[in-house]
Amino acid sequence: MAMDSFSKALMADQREIIIVPTIYKFADFGEMAEQFNLNERDVVLTNEYIYKPFMEKYGLKCNFVFQEKFAPGEPSEEMIEIMYKTIPYDSYDRVIAIGGGAIMDLCKLLGCKRPSSVHEMYFKREPVIHEKEVIAIPTTCGTGSEVTNISVAIVKDEKDGVLTGGETKLGLVSDDIIPNKVCLIPDMLKTLPYRPFASSAIDALIHAVESFLSPARKTMTSEMYSERAMEIILEGFRRIGENGPDARLDYLDQFVTASLFAGIAFLKAGCATVHAMSFPLGGTYHVPHGESNYALFGKILEIYDEKNPNGEIMKFKEKVAAITGCSVEGAIPYLNELLEKVLPLKPLRDYGFTKEDIKTFPLSVEANQQRLLTNSYVPWSVELSERVYAECY
């Protein structure tokens, strides 16, 4: 398939790096609330399990809205429409996003002019117009969404403008949805259960790796951020591998910082095949984003290394070896083994994936994820997608 016009525009962007938000770091939520004078004209979108231990005690007059009241899981057309009805546009001046990637993606939309149709907006037939300030406070260490220009949602799938009856994940991409400010508060990650912590941290690593391997959009600055993110995350994973899950608790500041760095890197350099192939998996079977990426990551790295072992992936293997002490030639197997210690890998069938999906998912990826596939380390094809899904089944 030929590169679409949107992907061409991404490739033609000559900016060295994009860092839009002003970035802060605070000891706790109370310090942030005082600094920004949070008040009744602020809408805070978060989860109740985050609100109770970290925010309730301050008695703020903000409009606190819990995302789980809309619908469970990741953002969808239906969830976004319910959110719009629940939070009238004229009821707030600022948006405070406190949570993981789903919260970030939803709050980016709250900062924009309301569209006439969520579906039309995600299929790029309605403009995105930023109108209200968005302050992002991540409480996971994976998405990097606090600094990125993308909002992902599960939407009704279509082909040639006709609904297919299925669903897929699509990314709404515009510099106008990048949050205005980011506040890092490592203290707010302490109650994050281990499994979502691990999957989000692996997701941050994947952001950094895909940015580092970017064949056309990587810049010297994005490479610097991706390298530093990989160094921090792999050191954290080494500690967890040696000392168990609780080793993360003394390293949360580093993990949330690395996630931010990886987000900065992929905003310019871009994500690629792992994300492209994970989107139908997440959209169809509602697999959490970090897990759906992880399910495919190791196999795609192996194919990259098989197809072009002496390009940027050699530098990547040398980087992994330098950080972990493994051999260069054994870097990818070592990495996969280390990730298994952090979070055991599931086969796709455990998520509900079927043998029929091996043939149908690659067609959806080819049709809907060109902005990601064009950034693949090696030229990608439907046949390679089938091979990955089959070998991960």
Side-chain angles (χ1 to χ4, degrees), residues 205-206 208-210 212-213 230 234 273-274 277 293-309 312-314 316-317 320 331-336 339 377-378 380 387-388 392:
L205 177 66
I206 294 169
V209 172
E210 292 207 295
F212 184 82
L213 296 176
M230 288 190 292
L234 288 176
T273 313
V274 177
M277 292 189 61
N293 282 331
Y294 175 38
L296 304 165
F297 177 52
K299 182 58 61 179
I300 290 172
L301 276 186
E302 290 173 4
I303 292 175
Y304 281 174
D305 195 36
E306 171 191 318
K307 299 294 183 182
N308 184 14
E312 289 296 285
I313 204 162
M314 177 58 74
F316 166 70
K317 292 186 291 185
V320 172
I332 291 176
Y334 174 88
L335 176 60
N336 289 335
L339 295 183
Y377 172 66
V378 298
W380 206 252
R387 176 181 164 188
V388 171
C392 293

mmCIF file of all heavy atoms in Angstrom, residues 205-206 208-210 212-213 230 234 273-274 277 293-309 312-314 316-317 320 331-336 339 377-378 380 387-388 392:
data_model
loop_
_atom_site.group_PDB
_atom_site.id
_atom_site.type_symbol
_atom_site.label_atom_id
_atom_site.label_comp_id
_atom_site.label_asym_id
_atom_site.label_seq_id
_atom_site.Cartn_x
_atom_site.Cartn_y
_atom_site.Cartn_z
ATOM 1 N N LEU A 205 9.301 1.086 27.519
ATOM 2 C CA LEU A 205 10.495 0.541 26.854
ATOM 3 C C LEU A 205 10.252 0.391 25.359
ATOM 4 O O LEU A 205 11.124 0.726 24.540
ATOM 5 C CB LEU A 205 10.869 -0.802 27.473
ATOM 6 C CG LEU A 205 12.056 -1.512 26.811
ATOM 7 C CD1 LEU A 205 13.344 -0.725 27.015
ATOM 8 C CD2 LEU A 205 12.204 -2.942 27.343
ATOM 9 N N ILE A 206 9.073 -0.108 24.988
ATOM 10 C CA ILE A 206 8.754 -0.284 23.572
ATOM 11 C C ILE A 206 8.728 1.059 22.852
ATOM 12 O O ILE A 206 9.215 1.182 21.719
ATOM 13 C CB ILE A 206 7.423 -1.042 23.412
ATOM 14 C CG1 ILE A 206 7.571 -2.474 23.942
ATOM 15 C CG2 ILE A 206 6.975 -1.073 21.951
ATOM 16 C CD1 ILE A 206 6.268 -3.237 24.079
ATOM 17 N N ALA A 208 10.533 3.626 23.584
ATOM 18 C CA ALA A 208 11.933 4.024 23.422
ATOM 19 C C ALA A 208 12.610 3.222 22.317
ATOM 20 O O ALA A 208 13.352 3.774 21.494
ATOM 21 C CB ALA A 208 12.679 3.856 24.749
ATOM 22 N N VAL A 209 12.356 1.913 22.274
ATOM 23 C CA VAL A 209 13.006 1.050 21.273
ATOM 24 C C VAL A 209 12.519 1.395 19.873
ATOM 25 O O VAL A 209 13.319 1.537 18.938
ATOM 26 C CB VAL A 209 12.755 -0.432 21.591
ATOM 27 C CG1 VAL A 209 13.267 -1.321 20.456
ATOM 28 C CG2 VAL A 209 13.427 -0.819 22.906
ATOM 29 N N GLU A 210 11.206 1.540 19.702
ATOM 30 C CA GLU A 210 10.689 1.859 18.369
ATOM 31 C C GLU A 210 11.190 3.219 17.900
ATOM 32 O O GLU A 210 11.467 3.410 16.708
ATOM 33 C CB GLU A 210 9.165 1.797 18.362
ATOM 34 C CG GLU A 210 8.628 0.389 18.535
ATOM 35 C CD GLU A 210 7.263 0.171 17.925
ATOM 36 O OE1 GLU A 210 6.291 0.795 18.403
ATOM 37 O OE2 GLU A 210 7.165 -0.616 16.969
ATOM 38 N N PHE A 212 14.078 4.563 18.810
ATOM 39 C CA PHE A 212 15.505 4.390 18.525
ATOM 40 C C PHE A 212 15.722 3.747 17.163
ATOM 41 O O PHE A 212 16.683 4.076 16.455
ATOM 42 C CB PHE A 212 16.140 3.529 19.620
ATOM 43 C CG PHE A 212 17.622 3.364 19.494
ATOM 44 C CD1 PHE A 212 18.487 4.344 19.962
ATOM 45 C CD2 PHE A 212 18.154 2.235 18.898
ATOM 46 C CE1 PHE A 212 19.861 4.188 19.836
ATOM 47 C CE2 PHE A 212 19.525 2.080 18.764
ATOM 48 C CZ PHE A 212 20.381 3.062 19.229
ATOM 49 N N LEU A 213 14.843 2.815 16.774
ATOM 50 C CA LEU A 213 14.986 2.101 15.507
ATOM 51 C C LEU A 213 14.315 2.816 14.340
ATOM 52 O O LEU A 213 14.348 2.321 13.213
ATOM 53 C CB LEU A 213 14.396 0.695 15.631
ATOM 54 C CG LEU A 213 15.075 -0.249 16.624
ATOM 55 C CD1 LEU A 213 14.318 -1.569 16.702
ATOM 56 C CD2 LEU A 213 16.538 -0.492 16.245
ATOM 57 N N MET A 230 15.776 3.972 27.687
ATOM 58 C CA MET A 230 16.137 2.555 27.708
ATOM 59 C C MET A 230 17.088 2.249 28.863
ATOM 60 O O MET A 230 16.937 1.230 29.547
ATOM 61 C CB MET A 230 16.764 2.145 26.375
ATOM 62 C CG MET A 230 15.781 2.058 25.227
ATOM 63 S SD MET A 230 16.471 1.289 23.729
ATOM 64 C CE MET A 230 17.667 2.523 23.208
ATOM 65 N N LEU A 234 15.757 -0.392 31.664
ATOM 66 C CA LEU A 234 16.436 -1.688 31.743
ATOM 67 C C LEU A 234 17.148 -1.876 33.075
ATOM 68 O O LEU A 234 17.193 -2.989 33.607
ATOM 69 C CB LEU A 234 17.405 -1.848 30.580
ATOM 70 C CG LEU A 234 16.752 -2.068 29.213
ATOM 71 C CD1 LEU A 234 17.812 -2.120 28.114
ATOM 72 C CD2 LEU A 234 15.919 -3.342 29.200
ATOM 73 N N THR A 273 5.797 -0.832 14.081
ATOM 74 C CA THR A 273 5.078 -2.071 13.811
ATOM 75 C C THR A 273 4.449 -2.678 15.055
ATOM 76 O O THR A 273 3.342 -3.235 14.981
ATOM 77 C CB THR A 273 6.046 -3.090 13.174
ATOM 78 O OG1 THR A 273 6.771 -2.442 12.136
ATOM 79 C CG2 THR A 273 5.297 -4.265 12.610
ATOM 80 N N VAL A 274 5.120 -2.635 16.195
ATOM 81 C CA VAL A 274 4.563 -3.220 17.416
ATOM 82 C C VAL A 274 3.213 -2.584 17.727
ATOM 83 O O VAL A 274 2.211 -3.274 17.964
ATOM 84 C CB VAL A 274 5.530 -3.054 18.605
ATOM 85 C CG1 VAL A 274 4.891 -3.597 19.879
ATOM 86 C CG2 VAL A 274 6.853 -3.762 18.329
ATOM 87 N N MET A 277 0.432 -3.427 15.048
ATOM 88 C CA MET A 277 -0.143 -4.764 15.144
ATOM 89 C C MET A 277 -0.897 -4.986 16.454
ATOM 90 O O MET A 277 -1.770 -5.864 16.535
ATOM 91 C CB MET A 277 0.957 -5.815 14.979
ATOM 92 C CG MET A 277 1.537 -5.863 13.577
ATOM 93 S SD MET A 277 2.639 -7.288 13.336
ATOM 94 C CE MET A 277 1.517 -8.649 13.630
ATOM 95 N N ASN A 293 0.970 -4.664 23.340
ATOM 96 C CA ASN A 293 2.279 -4.389 22.736
ATOM 97 C C ASN A 293 3.307 -5.453 23.120
ATOM 98 O O ASN A 293 4.054 -5.964 22.271
ATOM 99 C CB ASN A 293 2.783 -3.017 23.175
ATOM 100 C CG ASN A 293 2.134 -1.879 22.425
ATOM 101 O OD1 ASN A 293 1.723 -2.028 21.275
ATOM 102 N ND2 ASN A 293 2.033 -0.732 23.058
ATOM 103 N N TYR A 294 3.336 -5.780 24.392
ATOM 104 C CA TYR A 294 4.311 -6.760 24.894
ATOM 105 C C TYR A 294 4.124 -8.122 24.234
ATOM 106 O O TYR A 294 5.101 -8.827 23.932
ATOM 107 C CB TYR A 294 4.155 -6.870 26.415
ATOM 108 C CG TYR A 294 5.000 -7.917 27.093
ATOM 109 C CD1 TYR A 294 6.306 -8.185 26.690
ATOM 110 C CD2 TYR A 294 4.479 -8.645 28.170
ATOM 111 C CE1 TYR A 294 7.077 -9.154 27.333
ATOM 112 C CE2 TYR A 294 5.241 -9.601 28.824
ATOM 113 C CZ TYR A 294 6.533 -9.860 28.396
ATOM 114 O OH TYR A 294 7.292 -10.817 29.042
ATOM 115 N N ALA A 295 2.870 -8.494 23.961
ATOM 116 C CA ALA A 295 2.590 -9.795 23.371
ATOM 117 C C ALA A 295 3.275 -9.987 22.026
ATOM 118 O O ALA A 295 3.542 -11.119 21.615
ATOM 119 C CB ALA A 295 1.078 -9.979 23.223
ATOM 120 N N LEU A 296 3.591 -8.893 21.325
ATOM 121 C CA LEU A 296 4.141 -8.950 19.972
ATOM 122 C C LEU A 296 5.584 -8.469 19.879
ATOM 123 O O LEU A 296 6.271 -8.743 18.891
ATOM 124 C CB LEU A 296 3.269 -8.091 19.035
ATOM 125 C CG LEU A 296 1.783 -8.454 19.011
ATOM 126 C CD1 LEU A 296 0.978 -7.333 18.361
ATOM 127 C CD2 LEU A 296 1.547 -9.764 18.292
ATOM 128 N N PHE A 297 6.031 -7.756 20.885
ATOM 129 C CA PHE A 297 7.302 -7.029 20.848
ATOM 130 C C PHE A 297 8.498 -7.930 20.555
ATOM 131 O O PHE A 297 9.292 -7.683 19.635
ATOM 132 C CB PHE A 297 7.489 -6.304 22.184
ATOM 133 C CG PHE A 297 8.792 -5.564 22.349
ATOM 134 C CD1 PHE A 297 9.230 -4.654 21.399
ATOM 135 C CD2 PHE A 297 9.563 -5.763 23.488
ATOM 136 C CE1 PHE A 297 10.415 -3.955 21.568
ATOM 137 C CE2 PHE A 297 10.748 -5.068 23.669
ATOM 138 C CZ PHE A 297 11.176 -4.168 22.709
ATOM 139 N N GLY A 298 8.660 -8.999 21.330
ATOM 140 C CA GLY A 298 9.840 -9.847 21.192
ATOM 141 C C GLY A 298 9.931 -10.489 19.821
ATOM 142 O O GLY A 298 11.015 -10.546 19.221
ATOM 143 N N LYS A 299 8.804 -10.977 19.299
ATOM 144 C CA LYS A 299 8.808 -11.626 17.983
ATOM 145 C C LYS A 299 9.145 -10.634 16.875
ATOM 146 O O LYS A 299 9.903 -10.951 15.941
ATOM 147 C CB LYS A 299 7.444 -12.272 17.723
ATOM 148 C CG LYS A 299 7.362 -13.018 16.391
ATOM 149 C CD LYS A 299 8.414 -14.115 16.269
ATOM 150 C CE LYS A 299 8.267 -15.173 17.343
ATOM 151 N NZ LYS A 299 9.280 -16.252 17.187
ATOM 152 N N ILE A 300 8.621 -9.414 16.971
ATOM 153 C CA ILE A 300 8.915 -8.402 15.953
ATOM 154 C C ILE A 300 10.393 -8.018 15.998
ATOM 155 O O ILE A 300 11.034 -7.860 14.954
ATOM 156 C CB ILE A 300 7.985 -7.184 16.120
ATOM 157 C CG1 ILE A 300 6.555 -7.574 15.731
ATOM 158 C CG2 ILE A 300 8.470 -5.995 15.277
ATOM 159 C CD1 ILE A 300 5.513 -6.527 16.032
ATOM 160 N N LEU A 301 10.971 -7.915 17.188
ATOM 161 C CA LEU A 301 12.410 -7.642 17.287
ATOM 162 C C LEU A 301 13.214 -8.753 16.612
ATOM 163 O O LEU A 301 14.205 -8.478 15.919
ATOM 164 C CB LEU A 301 12.828 -7.527 18.752
ATOM 165 C CG LEU A 301 12.639 -6.183 19.459
ATOM 166 C CD1 LEU A 301 13.244 -6.256 20.858
ATOM 167 C CD2 LEU A 301 13.245 -5.026 18.687
ATOM 168 N N GLU A 302 12.817 -9.987 16.822
ATOM 169 C CA GLU A 302 13.532 -11.108 16.205
ATOM 170 C C GLU A 302 13.486 -11.014 14.674
ATOM 171 O O GLU A 302 14.493 -11.273 13.994
ATOM 172 C CB GLU A 302 12.920 -12.426 16.672
ATOM 173 C CG GLU A 302 13.200 -12.751 18.139
ATOM 174 C CD GLU A 302 12.454 -13.975 18.614
ATOM 175 O OE1 GLU A 302 11.781 -14.622 17.772
ATOM 176 O OE2 GLU A 302 12.522 -14.293 19.816
ATOM 177 N N ILE A 303 12.339 -10.644 14.134
ATOM 178 C CA ILE A 303 12.219 -10.516 12.679
ATOM 179 C C ILE A 303 13.037 -9.338 12.167
ATOM 180 O O ILE A 303 13.698 -9.433 11.121
ATOM 181 C CB ILE A 303 10.738 -10.405 12.270
ATOM 182 C CG1 ILE A 303 10.033 -11.735 12.539
ATOM 183 C CG2 ILE A 303 10.596 -9.997 10.804
ATOM 184 C CD1 ILE A 303 8.544 -11.721 12.285
ATOM 185 N N TYR A 304 13.011 -8.233 12.887
ATOM 186 C CA TYR A 304 13.865 -7.099 12.515
ATOM 187 C C TYR A 304 15.327 -7.542 12.413
ATOM 188 O O TYR A 304 16.037 -7.221 11.451
ATOM 189 C CB TYR A 304 13.766 -5.997 13.577
ATOM 190 C CG TYR A 304 12.551 -5.109 13.525
ATOM 191 C CD1 TYR A 304 12.338 -4.165 14.538
ATOM 192 C CD2 TYR A 304 11.621 -5.185 12.493
ATOM 193 C CE1 TYR A 304 11.249 -3.321 14.511
ATOM 194 C CE2 TYR A 304 10.521 -4.337 12.459
ATOM 195 C CZ TYR A 304 10.333 -3.405 13.483
ATOM 196 O OH TYR A 304 9.255 -2.566 13.455
ATOM 197 N N ASP A 305 15.771 -8.276 13.428
ATOM 198 C CA ASP A 305 17.168 -8.710 13.480
ATOM 199 C C ASP A 305 17.474 -9.697 12.359
ATOM 200 O O ASP A 305 18.563 -9.695 11.783
ATOM 201 C CB ASP A 305 17.449 -9.339 14.844
ATOM 202 C CG ASP A 305 18.937 -9.485 15.127
ATOM 203 O OD1 ASP A 305 19.709 -8.594 14.721
ATOM 204 O OD2 ASP A 305 19.326 -10.487 15.749
ATOM 205 N N GLU A 306 16.515 -10.517 12.032
ATOM 206 C CA GLU A 306 16.672 -11.480 10.936
ATOM 207 C C GLU A 306 16.789 -10.762 9.588
ATOM 208 O O GLU A 306 17.625 -11.124 8.747
ATOM 209 C CB GLU A 306 15.461 -12.414 10.932
ATOM 210 C CG GLU A 306 15.351 -13.335 9.731
ATOM 211 C CD GLU A 306 13.997 -14.011 9.689
ATOM 212 O OE1 GLU A 306 13.498 -14.457 10.758
ATOM 213 O OE2 GLU A 306 13.406 -14.089 8.588
ATOM 214 N N LYS A 307 15.977 -9.754 9.361
ATOM 215 C CA LYS A 307 15.907 -9.086 8.061
ATOM 216 C C LYS A 307 17.032 -8.075 7.843
ATOM 217 O O LYS A 307 17.505 -7.894 6.714
ATOM 218 C CB LYS A 307 14.553 -8.380 7.908
ATOM 219 C CG LYS A 307 13.343 -9.306 7.953
ATOM 220 C CD LYS A 307 13.310 -10.233 6.760
ATOM 221 C CE LYS A 307 12.061 -11.100 6.763
ATOM 222 N NZ LYS A 307 12.041 -12.054 5.629
ATOM 223 N N ASN A 308 17.453 -7.384 8.908
ATOM 224 C CA ASN A 308 18.500 -6.363 8.748
ATOM 225 C C ASN A 308 19.339 -6.288 10.021
ATOM 226 O O ASN A 308 19.223 -5.345 10.811
ATOM 227 C CB ASN A 308 17.873 -5.000 8.437
ATOM 228 C CG ASN A 308 18.924 -3.932 8.167
ATOM 229 O OD1 ASN A 308 20.102 -4.230 7.964
ATOM 230 N ND2 ASN A 308 18.506 -2.679 8.157
ATOM 231 N N PRO A 309 20.223 -7.281 10.241
ATOM 232 C CA PRO A 309 20.946 -7.370 11.510
ATOM 233 C C PRO A 309 22.044 -6.337 11.705
ATOM 234 O O PRO A 309 22.511 -6.152 12.834
ATOM 235 C CB PRO A 309 21.538 -8.784 11.472
ATOM 236 C CG PRO A 309 21.695 -9.073 10.005
ATOM 237 C CD PRO A 309 20.520 -8.420 9.343
ATOM 238 N N GLU A 312 20.479 -0.215 12.468
ATOM 239 C CA GLU A 312 20.313 0.390 13.788
ATOM 240 C C GLU A 312 20.067 -0.650 14.869
ATOM 241 O O GLU A 312 20.350 -0.402 16.043
ATOM 242 C CB GLU A 312 19.156 1.396 13.763
ATOM 243 C CG GLU A 312 19.436 2.670 12.982
ATOM 244 C CD GLU A 312 20.565 3.477 13.598
ATOM 245 O OE1 GLU A 312 20.336 4.117 14.638
ATOM 246 O OE2 GLU A 312 21.687 3.455 13.038
ATOM 247 N N ILE A 313 19.559 -1.814 14.489
ATOM 248 C CA ILE A 313 19.312 -2.825 15.517
ATOM 249 C C ILE A 313 20.622 -3.340 16.104
ATOM 250 O O ILE A 313 20.656 -3.801 17.249
ATOM 251 C CB ILE A 313 18.447 -3.974 14.971
ATOM 252 C CG1 ILE A 313 17.732 -4.654 16.150
ATOM 253 C CG2 ILE A 313 19.270 -4.975 14.162
ATOM 254 C CD1 ILE A 313 16.548 -5.493 15.771
ATOM 255 N N MET A 314 21.716 -3.267 15.363
ATOM 256 C CA MET A 314 23.009 -3.624 15.935
ATOM 257 C C MET A 314 23.382 -2.640 17.037
ATOM 258 O O MET A 314 23.854 -3.038 18.105
ATOM 259 C CB MET A 314 24.084 -3.651 14.848
ATOM 260 C CG MET A 314 25.495 -3.942 15.376
ATOM 261 S SD MET A 314 25.617 -5.527 16.262
ATOM 262 C CE MET A 314 25.554 -6.666 14.868
ATOM 263 N N PHE A 316 21.271 -0.996 18.770
ATOM 264 C CA PHE A 316 20.353 -1.302 19.859
ATOM 265 C C PHE A 316 20.875 -2.473 20.690
ATOM 266 O O PHE A 316 20.884 -2.417 21.930
ATOM 267 C CB PHE A 316 18.967 -1.616 19.298
ATOM 268 C CG PHE A 316 18.034 -2.263 20.281
ATOM 269 C CD1 PHE A 316 17.525 -1.550 21.350
ATOM 270 C CD2 PHE A 316 17.678 -3.603 20.147
ATOM 271 C CE1 PHE A 316 16.671 -2.149 22.272
ATOM 272 C CE2 PHE A 316 16.832 -4.210 21.060
ATOM 273 C CZ PHE A 316 16.323 -3.474 22.123
ATOM 274 N N LYS A 317 21.329 -3.527 20.025
ATOM 275 C CA LYS A 317 21.851 -4.688 20.759
ATOM 276 C C LYS A 317 23.102 -4.316 21.555
ATOM 277 O O LYS A 317 23.293 -4.785 22.687
ATOM 278 C CB LYS A 317 22.139 -5.832 19.790
ATOM 279 C CG LYS A 317 20.889 -6.442 19.168
ATOM 280 C CD LYS A 317 21.197 -7.677 18.324
ATOM 281 C CE LYS A 317 21.952 -7.349 17.075
ATOM 282 N NZ LYS A 317 22.156 -8.527 16.189
ATOM 283 N N VAL A 320 21.849 -2.551 24.669
ATOM 284 C CA VAL A 320 21.330 -3.503 25.653
ATOM 285 C C VAL A 320 22.481 -4.220 26.355
ATOM 286 O O VAL A 320 22.473 -4.393 27.585
ATOM 287 C CB VAL A 320 20.383 -4.516 24.983
ATOM 288 C CG1 VAL A 320 19.997 -5.628 25.962
ATOM 289 C CG2 VAL A 320 19.129 -3.826 24.456
ATOM 290 N N ALA A 331 21.712 -10.292 22.853
ATOM 291 C CA ALA A 331 20.981 -9.196 23.479
ATOM 292 C C ALA A 331 19.470 -9.358 23.390
ATOM 293 O O ALA A 331 18.755 -9.133 24.376
ATOM 294 C CB ALA A 331 21.402 -7.866 22.843
ATOM 295 N N ILE A 332 18.963 -9.735 22.226
ATOM 296 C CA ILE A 332 17.508 -9.846 22.088
ATOM 297 C C ILE A 332 16.958 -11.024 22.890
ATOM 298 O O ILE A 332 15.962 -10.857 23.625
ATOM 299 C CB ILE A 332 17.102 -9.903 20.602
ATOM 300 C CG1 ILE A 332 17.378 -8.533 19.954
ATOM 301 C CG2 ILE A 332 15.626 -10.273 20.442
ATOM 302 C CD1 ILE A 332 17.117 -8.467 18.472
ATOM 303 N N PRO A 333 17.572 -12.225 22.830
ATOM 304 C CA PRO A 333 17.101 -13.298 23.719
ATOM 305 C C PRO A 333 17.191 -12.917 25.200
ATOM 306 O O PRO A 333 16.288 -13.222 25.980
ATOM 307 C CB PRO A 333 18.018 -14.470 23.389
ATOM 308 C CG PRO A 333 18.474 -14.207 21.990
ATOM 309 C CD PRO A 333 18.588 -12.723 21.879
ATOM 310 N N TYR A 334 18.282 -12.233 25.577
ATOM 311 C CA TYR A 334 18.426 -11.811 26.978
ATOM 312 C C TYR A 334 17.303 -10.858 27.353
ATOM 313 O O TYR A 334 16.703 -10.977 28.432
ATOM 314 C CB TYR A 334 19.780 -11.132 27.201
ATOM 315 C CG TYR A 334 19.908 -10.549 28.591
ATOM 316 C CD1 TYR A 334 20.381 -11.323 29.650
ATOM 317 C CD2 TYR A 334 19.519 -9.234 28.858
ATOM 318 C CE1 TYR A 334 20.472 -10.802 30.943
ATOM 319 C CE2 TYR A 334 19.600 -8.706 30.146
ATOM 320 C CZ TYR A 334 20.073 -9.494 31.183
ATOM 321 O OH TYR A 334 20.139 -8.974 32.455
ATOM 322 N N LEU A 335 17.011 -9.893 26.467
ATOM 323 C CA LEU A 335 15.952 -8.930 26.749
ATOM 324 C C LEU A 335 14.616 -9.634 26.937
ATOM 325 O O LEU A 335 13.870 -9.332 27.884
ATOM 326 C CB LEU A 335 15.867 -7.907 25.618
ATOM 327 C CG LEU A 335 14.733 -6.875 25.714
ATOM 328 C CD1 LEU A 335 14.862 -6.045 26.985
ATOM 329 C CD2 LEU A 335 14.730 -5.984 24.484
ATOM 330 N N ASN A 336 14.300 -10.580 26.061
ATOM 331 C CA ASN A 336 13.041 -11.302 26.191
ATOM 332 C C ASN A 336 12.975 -12.101 27.493
ATOM 333 O O ASN A 336 11.916 -12.174 28.130
ATOM 334 C CB ASN A 336 12.841 -12.220 24.983
ATOM 335 C CG ASN A 336 12.535 -11.445 23.705
ATOM 336 O OD1 ASN A 336 12.037 -10.326 23.760
ATOM 337 N ND2 ASN A 336 12.840 -12.030 22.562
ATOM 338 N N LEU A 339 12.325 -9.586 30.343
ATOM 339 C CA LEU A 339 10.931 -9.153 30.372
ATOM 340 C C LEU A 339 10.033 -10.241 30.948
ATOM 341 O O LEU A 339 9.051 -9.941 31.645
ATOM 342 C CB LEU A 339 10.464 -8.756 28.970
ATOM 343 C CG LEU A 339 11.163 -7.540 28.348
ATOM 344 C CD1 LEU A 339 10.563 -7.212 26.988
ATOM 345 C CD2 LEU A 339 11.082 -6.321 29.255
ATOM 346 N N TYR A 377 11.099 -0.553 11.133
ATOM 347 C CA TYR A 377 12.552 -0.656 10.942
ATOM 348 C C TYR A 377 12.899 -1.334 9.627
ATOM 349 O O TYR A 377 13.890 -0.987 8.974
ATOM 350 C CB TYR A 377 13.163 -1.420 12.119
ATOM 351 C CG TYR A 377 14.627 -1.768 11.943
ATOM 352 C CD1 TYR A 377 15.602 -0.770 11.903
ATOM 353 C CD2 TYR A 377 15.019 -3.092 11.802
ATOM 354 C CE1 TYR A 377 16.944 -1.093 11.728
ATOM 355 C CE2 TYR A 377 16.357 -3.426 11.635
ATOM 356 C CZ TYR A 377 17.313 -2.424 11.606
ATOM 357 O OH TYR A 377 18.637 -2.744 11.417
ATOM 358 N N VAL A 378 12.130 -2.331 9.230
ATOM 359 C CA VAL A 378 12.294 -2.963 7.911
ATOM 360 C C VAL A 378 10.962 -2.859 7.177
ATOM 361 O O VAL A 378 9.906 -2.747 7.809
ATOM 362 C CB VAL A 378 12.715 -4.446 8.025
ATOM 363 C CG1 VAL A 378 14.055 -4.571 8.715
ATOM 364 C CG2 VAL A 378 11.652 -5.271 8.742
ATOM 365 N N TRP A 380 7.509 -3.552 5.869
ATOM 366 C CA TRP A 380 6.575 -4.514 6.455
ATOM 367 C C TRP A 380 5.540 -4.935 5.424
ATOM 368 O O TRP A 380 5.288 -4.235 4.449
ATOM 369 C CB TRP A 380 5.900 -3.913 7.683
ATOM 370 C CG TRP A 380 5.447 -4.964 8.650
ATOM 371 C CD1 TRP A 380 4.175 -5.357 8.904
ATOM 372 C CD2 TRP A 380 6.283 -5.783 9.480
ATOM 373 N NE1 TRP A 380 4.149 -6.363 9.851
ATOM 374 C CE2 TRP A 380 5.438 -6.644 10.215
ATOM 375 C CE3 TRP A 380 7.657 -5.864 9.675
ATOM 376 C CZ2 TRP A 380 5.918 -7.577 11.128
ATOM 377 C CZ3 TRP A 380 8.147 -6.790 10.583
ATOM 378 C CH2 TRP A 380 7.284 -7.631 11.299
ATOM 379 N N ARG A 387 2.820 -13.838 9.931
ATOM 380 C CA ARG A 387 3.836 -14.659 10.578
ATOM 381 C C ARG A 387 3.937 -14.325 12.070
ATOM 382 O O ARG A 387 4.004 -15.239 12.910
ATOM 383 C CB ARG A 387 5.186 -14.435 9.900
ATOM 384 C CG ARG A 387 6.319 -15.172 10.583
ATOM 385 C CD ARG A 387 7.653 -14.912 9.907
ATOM 386 N NE ARG A 387 8.755 -15.310 10.755
ATOM 387 C CZ ARG A 387 10.039 -15.068 10.493
ATOM 388 N NH1 ARG A 387 10.369 -14.451 9.354
ATOM 389 N NH2 ARG A 387 10.985 -15.467 11.321
ATOM 390 N N VAL A 388 3.938 -13.044 12.411
ATOM 391 C CA VAL A 388 4.026 -12.653 13.825
ATOM 392 C C VAL A 388 2.826 -13.176 14.607
ATOM 393 O O VAL A 388 2.974 -13.792 15.675
ATOM 394 C CB VAL A 388 4.124 -11.119 13.958
ATOM 395 C CG1 VAL A 388 3.988 -10.686 15.422
ATOM 396 C CG2 VAL A 388 5.457 -10.624 13.399
ATOM 397 N N CYS A 392 3.014 -16.021 17.562
ATOM 398 C CA CYS A 392 2.653 -15.580 18.922
ATOM 399 C C CYS A 392 1.342 -16.215 19.382
ATOM 400 O O CYS A 392 0.939 -16.011 20.527
ATOM 401 C CB CYS A 392 2.522 -14.060 18.980
ATOM 402 S SG CYS A 392 4.071 -13.172 18.730
#
